[in-house]
mmCIF file of all heavy atoms in Angstrom:
data_model
loop_
_atom_site.group_PDB
_atom_site.id
_atom_site.type_symbol
_atom_site.label_atom_id
_atom_site.label_comp_id
_atom_site.label_asym_id
_atom_site.label_seq_id
_atom_site.Cartn_x
_atom_site.Cartn_y
_atom_site.Cartn_z
ATOM 1 N N ARG A 185 -55.636 -134.021 -51.181
ATOM 2 C CA ARG A 185 -55.341 -132.736 -50.555
ATOM 3 C C ARG A 185 -56.525 -131.807 -50.439
ATOM 4 O O ARG A 185 -57.513 -132.061 -51.225
ATOM 5 C CB ARG A 185 -54.245 -131.965 -51.399
ATOM 6 C CG ARG A 185 -52.913 -132.675 -51.411
ATOM 7 C CD ARG A 185 -51.898 -131.735 -52.035
ATOM 8 N NE ARG A 185 -50.565 -132.475 -52.152
ATOM 9 C CZ ARG A 185 -49.709 -132.175 -53.089
ATOM 10 N NH1 ARG A 185 -49.948 -131.358 -53.999
ATOM 11 N NH2 ARG A 185 -48.628 -132.897 -53.106
ATOM 12 N N THR A 186 -56.380 -130.789 -49.559
ATOM 13 C CA THR A 186 -57.496 -129.801 -49.462
ATOM 14 C C THR A 186 -57.040 -128.631 -50.405
ATOM 15 O O THR A 186 -55.908 -128.179 -50.387
ATOM 16 C CB THR A 186 -57.586 -129.313 -48.017
ATOM 17 O OG1 THR A 186 -57.811 -130.514 -47.191
ATOM 18 C CG2 THR A 186 -58.718 -128.340 -47.802
ATOM 19 N N CYS A 187 -58.025 -128.100 -51.098
ATOM 20 C CA CYS A 187 -57.815 -126.925 -51.974
ATOM 21 C C CYS A 187 -57.391 -125.739 -51.148
ATOM 22 O O CYS A 187 -57.958 -125.452 -50.069
ATOM 23 C CB CYS A 187 -59.109 -126.609 -52.774
ATOM 24 S SG CYS A 187 -58.873 -125.270 -53.907
ATOM 25 N N LYS A 188 -56.397 -125.005 -51.513
ATOM 26 C CA LYS A 188 -55.882 -123.814 -50.849
ATOM 27 C C LYS A 188 -56.756 -122.608 -50.953
ATOM 28 O O LYS A 188 -56.585 -121.653 -50.237
ATOM 29 C CB LYS A 188 -54.449 -123.465 -51.289
ATOM 30 C CG LYS A 188 -53.435 -124.541 -51.074
ATOM 31 C CD LYS A 188 -53.088 -124.666 -49.595
ATOM 32 C CE LYS A 188 -52.018 -125.662 -49.371
ATOM 33 N NZ LYS A 188 -51.681 -125.952 -48.004
ATOM 34 N N ASN A 189 -57.689 -122.623 -51.894
ATOM 35 C CA ASN A 189 -58.645 -121.498 -52.018
ATOM 36 C C ASN A 189 -59.607 -121.600 -50.812
ATOM 37 O O ASN A 189 -60.364 -122.465 -50.587
ATOM 38 C CB ASN A 189 -59.470 -121.667 -53.322
ATOM 39 C CG ASN A 189 -60.400 -120.537 -53.530
ATOM 40 O OD1 ASN A 189 -60.503 -119.565 -52.722
ATOM 41 N ND2 ASN A 189 -61.230 -120.618 -54.604
ATOM 42 N N CYS A 192 -63.238 -122.354 -51.216
ATOM 43 C CA CYS A 192 -63.534 -123.671 -51.743
ATOM 44 C C CYS A 192 -63.304 -124.824 -50.670
ATOM 45 O O CYS A 192 -64.217 -125.459 -50.238
ATOM 46 C CB CYS A 192 -62.732 -124.005 -52.992
ATOM 47 S SG CYS A 192 -63.003 -125.612 -53.704
ATOM 48 N N ARG A 193 -62.051 -124.981 -50.360
ATOM 49 C CA ARG A 193 -61.677 -125.989 -49.361
ATOM 50 C C ARG A 193 -62.117 -127.438 -49.701
ATOM 51 O O ARG A 193 -62.281 -128.244 -48.804
ATOM 52 C CB ARG A 193 -62.071 -125.601 -47.939
ATOM 53 C CG ARG A 193 -61.368 -124.411 -47.351
ATOM 54 C CD ARG A 193 -59.930 -124.719 -47.208
ATOM 55 N NE ARG A 193 -59.256 -123.667 -46.428
ATOM 56 C CZ ARG A 193 -58.019 -123.482 -46.395
ATOM 57 N NH1 ARG A 193 -57.220 -124.350 -46.945
ATOM 58 N NH2 ARG A 193 -57.489 -122.503 -45.651
ATOM 59 N N ASN A 194 -62.261 -127.782 -50.928
ATOM 60 C CA ASN A 194 -62.692 -129.114 -51.323
ATOM 61 C C ASN A 194 -61.510 -129.969 -51.304
ATOM 62 O O ASN A 194 -60.385 -129.625 -51.470
ATOM 63 C CB ASN A 194 -63.273 -129.095 -52.761
ATOM 64 C CG ASN A 194 -64.650 -128.492 -52.769
ATOM 65 O OD1 ASN A 194 -65.332 -128.487 -51.820
ATOM 66 N ND2 ASN A 194 -64.993 -127.979 -53.976
ATOM 67 N N LYS A 195 -61.762 -131.281 -51.122
ATOM 68 C CA LYS A 195 -60.729 -132.315 -51.167
ATOM 69 C C LYS A 195 -60.590 -132.728 -52.614
ATOM 70 O O LYS A 195 -61.575 -132.792 -53.407
ATOM 71 C CB LYS A 195 -61.131 -133.585 -50.356
ATOM 72 C CG LYS A 195 -61.293 -133.249 -48.865
ATOM 73 C CD LYS A 195 -59.944 -133.217 -48.200
ATOM 74 C CE LYS A 195 -60.161 -133.097 -46.655
ATOM 75 N NZ LYS A 195 -58.951 -132.934 -45.974
ATOM 76 N N PHE A 196 -59.397 -132.966 -53.020
ATOM 77 C CA PHE A 196 -59.190 -133.374 -54.451
ATOM 78 C C PHE A 196 -58.054 -134.352 -54.570
ATOM 79 O O PHE A 196 -57.260 -134.470 -53.667
ATOM 80 C CB PHE A 196 -58.929 -132.110 -55.359
ATOM 81 C CG PHE A 196 -57.602 -131.441 -55.109
ATOM 82 C CD1 PHE A 196 -56.504 -131.724 -55.871
ATOM 83 C CD2 PHE A 196 -57.488 -130.445 -54.142
ATOM 84 C CE1 PHE A 196 -55.283 -131.141 -55.629
ATOM 85 C CE2 PHE A 196 -56.274 -129.845 -53.891
ATOM 86 C CZ PHE A 196 -55.183 -130.115 -54.650
ATOM 87 N N GLU A 197 -58.070 -135.207 -55.640
ATOM 88 C CA GLU A 197 -57.071 -136.114 -55.862
ATOM 89 C C GLU A 197 -55.858 -135.520 -56.549
ATOM 90 O O GLU A 197 -56.056 -134.800 -57.611
ATOM 91 C CB GLU A 197 -57.623 -137.244 -56.718
ATOM 92 C CG GLU A 197 -58.744 -138.102 -56.118
ATOM 93 C CD GLU A 197 -58.163 -138.998 -55.013
ATOM 94 O OE1 GLU A 197 -57.009 -139.449 -55.109
ATOM 95 O OE2 GLU A 197 -58.946 -139.214 -54.045
ATOM 96 N N ALA A 205 -49.807 -129.624 -57.119
ATOM 97 C CA ALA A 205 -51.075 -128.889 -57.285
ATOM 98 C C ALA A 205 -51.544 -128.480 -55.933
ATOM 99 O O ALA A 205 -51.543 -129.269 -54.887
ATOM 100 C CB ALA A 205 -52.097 -129.797 -57.913
ATOM 101 N N ILE A 206 -52.080 -127.255 -55.860
ATOM 102 C CA ILE A 206 -52.639 -126.755 -54.580
ATOM 103 C C ILE A 206 -54.105 -126.383 -54.740
ATOM 104 O O ILE A 206 -54.738 -126.000 -53.685
ATOM 105 C CB ILE A 206 -51.853 -125.448 -54.104
ATOM 106 C CG1 ILE A 206 -51.832 -124.392 -55.200
ATOM 107 C CG2 ILE A 206 -50.407 -125.850 -53.734
ATOM 108 C CD1 ILE A 206 -51.298 -123.104 -54.711
ATOM 109 N N ALA A 207 -54.626 -126.448 -55.953
ATOM 110 C CA ALA A 207 -56.099 -126.125 -56.180
ATOM 111 C C ALA A 207 -56.818 -127.268 -56.788
ATOM 112 O O ALA A 207 -56.213 -128.113 -57.558
ATOM 113 C CB ALA A 207 -56.160 -124.947 -57.009
ATOM 114 N N CYS A 208 -58.070 -127.348 -56.568
ATOM 115 C CA CYS A 208 -58.814 -128.481 -57.114
ATOM 116 C C CYS A 208 -59.266 -128.309 -58.556
ATOM 117 O O CYS A 208 -59.550 -129.256 -59.227
ATOM 118 C CB CYS A 208 -60.100 -128.702 -56.213
ATOM 119 S SG CYS A 208 -61.214 -127.318 -56.202
ATOM 120 N N CYS A 209 -59.337 -127.073 -59.044
ATOM 121 C CA CYS A 209 -59.728 -126.827 -60.388
ATOM 122 C C CYS A 209 -59.100 -125.576 -60.983
ATOM 123 O O CYS A 209 -58.390 -124.867 -60.252
ATOM 124 C CB CYS A 209 -61.320 -126.711 -60.495
ATOM 125 S SG CYS A 209 -61.931 -125.322 -59.558
ATOM 126 N N GLU A 210 -59.347 -125.284 -62.234
ATOM 127 C CA GLU A 210 -58.721 -124.124 -62.921
ATOM 128 C C GLU A 210 -59.274 -122.780 -62.272
ATOM 129 O O GLU A 210 -58.492 -121.846 -62.188
ATOM 130 C CB GLU A 210 -58.981 -124.116 -64.413
ATOM 131 C CG GLU A 210 -58.124 -125.161 -65.130
ATOM 132 C CD GLU A 210 -58.419 -125.119 -66.635
ATOM 133 O OE1 GLU A 210 -58.962 -124.085 -67.132
ATOM 134 O OE2 GLU A 210 -58.130 -126.095 -67.337
ATOM 135 N N GLY A 211 -60.548 -122.739 -61.908
ATOM 136 C CA GLY A 211 -61.118 -121.612 -61.304
ATOM 137 C C GLY A 211 -60.397 -121.223 -59.999
ATOM 138 O O GLY A 211 -60.066 -120.075 -59.686
ATOM 139 N N CYS A 212 -60.134 -122.232 -59.182
ATOM 140 C CA CYS A 212 -59.441 -122.005 -57.940
ATOM 141 C C CYS A 212 -58.003 -121.601 -58.166
ATOM 142 O O CYS A 212 -57.490 -120.840 -57.479
ATOM 143 C CB CYS A 212 -59.507 -123.243 -57.013
ATOM 144 S SG CYS A 212 -61.135 -123.532 -56.354
ATOM 145 N N GLU A 213 -57.393 -122.212 -59.226
ATOM 146 C CA GLU A 213 -55.992 -121.848 -59.538
ATOM 147 C C GLU A 213 -55.922 -120.342 -59.985
ATOM 148 O O GLU A 213 -54.994 -119.662 -59.583
ATOM 149 C CB GLU A 213 -55.450 -122.725 -60.681
ATOM 150 C CG GLU A 213 -55.092 -124.078 -60.245
ATOM 151 C CD GLU A 213 -54.621 -125.007 -61.349
ATOM 152 O OE1 GLU A 213 -54.572 -124.588 -62.526
ATOM 153 O OE2 GLU A 213 -54.201 -126.126 -61.100
ATOM 154 N N LEU A 216 -56.265 -118.185 -56.864
ATOM 155 C CA LEU A 216 -55.087 -118.283 -56.060
ATOM 156 C C LEU A 216 -53.923 -117.478 -56.719
ATOM 157 O O LEU A 216 -53.177 -116.811 -56.034
ATOM 158 C CB LEU A 216 -54.665 -119.722 -55.828
ATOM 159 C CG LEU A 216 -55.483 -120.499 -54.826
ATOM 160 C CD1 LEU A 216 -55.076 -121.969 -54.813
ATOM 161 C CD2 LEU A 216 -55.443 -119.945 -53.409
#
Side-chain angles (χ1 to χ4, degrees):
R185 290 190 187 151
T186 305
C187 182
K188 297 290 184 184
N189 183 1
C192 178
R193 292 293 190 195
N194 287 334
K195 298 280 185 185
F196 66 96
E197 294 289 328
I206 57 170
C208 62
C209 63
E210 285 182 19
C212 288
E213 285 179 358
L216 288 172

